[in-house]
Amino acid sequence: MVTLRYFASIREALGKQSESADVPTPATVAALLDALRAKGGAYAEALSTTRRWRVAVNQDMVGLDAAIGPGDEVAIFPPVTGG
Amino acid sequence: MVTLRYFASIREALGKQSESADVPTPATVAALLDALRAKGGAYAEALSTTRRWRVAVNQDMVGLDAAIGPGDEVAIFPPVTGG
Amino acid sequence: MATIRVQTNDFDLSAEHTQIRARHRDVGAIASFVGVVRDVNDGDGVSSMTLEHYPGMTEAALQKIVVEASSRWQVIDATVIHRVGTLLPTEQIVLVVVASRHRADAFAACEFIMDYLKTDAPFWKKETTPHGARWVEARASDDIATQRWENK
Amino acid sequence: MATIRVQTNDFDLSAEHTQIRARHRDVGAIASFVGVVRDVNDGDGVSSMTLEHYPGMTEAALQKIVVEASSRWQVIDATVIHRVGTLLPTEQIVLVVVASRHRADAFAACEFIMDYLKTDAPFWKKETTPHGARWVEARASDDIATQRWENK
């Protein structure tokens, strides 16, 4: 089980700010995203590879090949626009 | 006649902040400085060519070859140290 | 030494300066940056802006940027404050203050922190325009601003 | 648009910012610099500092520097305040505020104004140390800071 958190336009598109997901761990960020896209609908659309998004594992920005372990907090969000 | 103004360490060395000088004009800054140095004493010392000073004519920083006309305000001071 | 705050309240630049000056007698230079809500963006009028962040990660990301700046330049103290929630044009969004012995270090570290805040700190802006609300798109110019520090 | 003041009184950075933000709705970035009296200089303790200027020429020189900065970068508003008289360690000496649409212009113009203020504006500092009072010597590093803008 991992905790998924969504922010900004991705939170709005999915209609939720967090959820638990039963991903077989250890896995990679890429595998997790594939599993989410496979749910179709808003997931397939919001996480499409043609869009720009970022992933953080346990609040550290990571790449697609980063590992995910049990209990991890995985956040998915668009490129940041603060300041 | 020109008005001479002195600032900072040069004002202190000469013991005055301004004076009138009867310089034959038109002249150059270099000629004025030579005339002042010729007075000897504190003038020769404070305006020595081995020291660093700056000259402004009518409140504009100028070089040694700048012209001086009747009624001009000529200021002599050390390199600035504000900020 | 650094102060990092994410808050809905406004901030007072002079108060932050005064605290820094009271804490150190060797500070000679304080460079600051304040980001302000503009009434226009990408050609459309903006009537308000709402900022969202990722509590915990945002503060950690800002701290990391300040630590990196402090390793590159002489930094005596630094303060970063970023507001969240809804803001109106002319309101203050973000504050970065860097105190150093000399001005070149203060300026460079302050600009470095702002540049990385723009690309690395999880904040997102949604603005309200006459066409409705829209999420602000990340700018390529911000990535370029960050990249120039990589080559130094 | 620019505000130039030479004064003995202290200044309030927030008040200057607030005035600039109230005057313009297109300002997105405000970069500021505050110079502060340090309690040490060239290895000696400094108990106070006295600043002298050339009334008239000083204000004109500052104005000229701001005009030059405004011709190089997008500047919406700028404020330069320099104090004269006797100041103690941790007191504010000088303030430069530059407001622009975007941050790169605000930072560059603010640093440019400070660099030229150091070499072109007629102010002189005398500091009191345990060895007595002494006039501060101009620094070669300040001339170098100015010269780097000549090549841009």
Side-chain angles (χ1 to χ4, degrees), chain A residues 8 77-83, chain C residues 6 33 35-37 41 49-54 58 62 65 80-84 87 93-96 113-126 135-139 142 146, chain D residues 28 103:
Chain A
F77 45 77
V80 306
T81 57
Chain C
V6 179
F33 180 84
V36 179
V37 183
N41 191 30
M49 171 171 284
T50 300
L51 277 134
E52 176 175 338
H53 78 302
Y54 184 170
T58 303
L62 294 174
I65 295 167
V80 179
I81 302 175
H82 203 300
R83 294 177 69 190
V84 290
L87 301 175
I93 306 170
V94 59
L95 170 68
V96 176
I113 292 169
M114 265 312 299
D115 283 350
Y116 276 86
L117 182 156
K118 285 262 178 186
T119 58
D120 287 17
F123 291 101
W124 301 273
K125 281 184 191 138
K126 191 174 193 175
W135 290 97
V136 174
E137 293 283 321
R139 290 179 192 279
D142 287 331
T146 302
Chain D
R103 73 186 184 285

Side-chain angles (χ1 to χ4, degrees), chain C residues 28-145:
Chain C
I30 308 180
S32 311
F33 180 84
V34 172
V36 179
V37 183
R38 295 168 61 212
D39 67 352
V40 65
N41 191 30
D42 289 336
D44 291 313
V46 172
S47 58
S48 75
M49 171 171 284
T50 300
L51 277 134
E52 176 175 338
H53 78 302
Y54 184 170
M57 179 173 169
T58 303
E59 292 82 351
L62 294 174
Q63 184 74 45
K64 193 173 158 188
I65 295 167
V66 171
V67 167
E68 174 64 23
S70 302
S71 77
R72 292 185 177 216
W73 295 282
Q74 199 274 325
V75 173
I76 296 172
D77 208 335
T79 298
V80 179
I81 302 175
H82 203 300
R83 294 177 69 190
V84 290
T86 299
L87 301 175
L88 303 176
T90 81
E91 280 201 85
Q92 305 187 116
I93 306 170
V94 59
L95 170 68
V96 176
V97 180
V98 175
S100 176
R101 283 200 284 273
H102 302 294
R103 73 186 184 285
D105 288 76
F107 272 117
C110 186
E111 191 165 11
F112 176 94
I113 292 169
M114 265 312 299
D115 283 350
Y116 276 86
L117 182 156
K118 285 262 178 186
T119 58
D120 287 17
F123 291 101
W124 301 273
K125 281 184 191 138
K126 191 174 193 175
E127 58 192 12
T128 305
T129 74
H131 314 298
R134 66 184 181 196
W135 290 97
V136 174
E137 293 283 321
R139 290 179 192 279
S141 62
D142 287 331
D143 287 331
I144 292 165

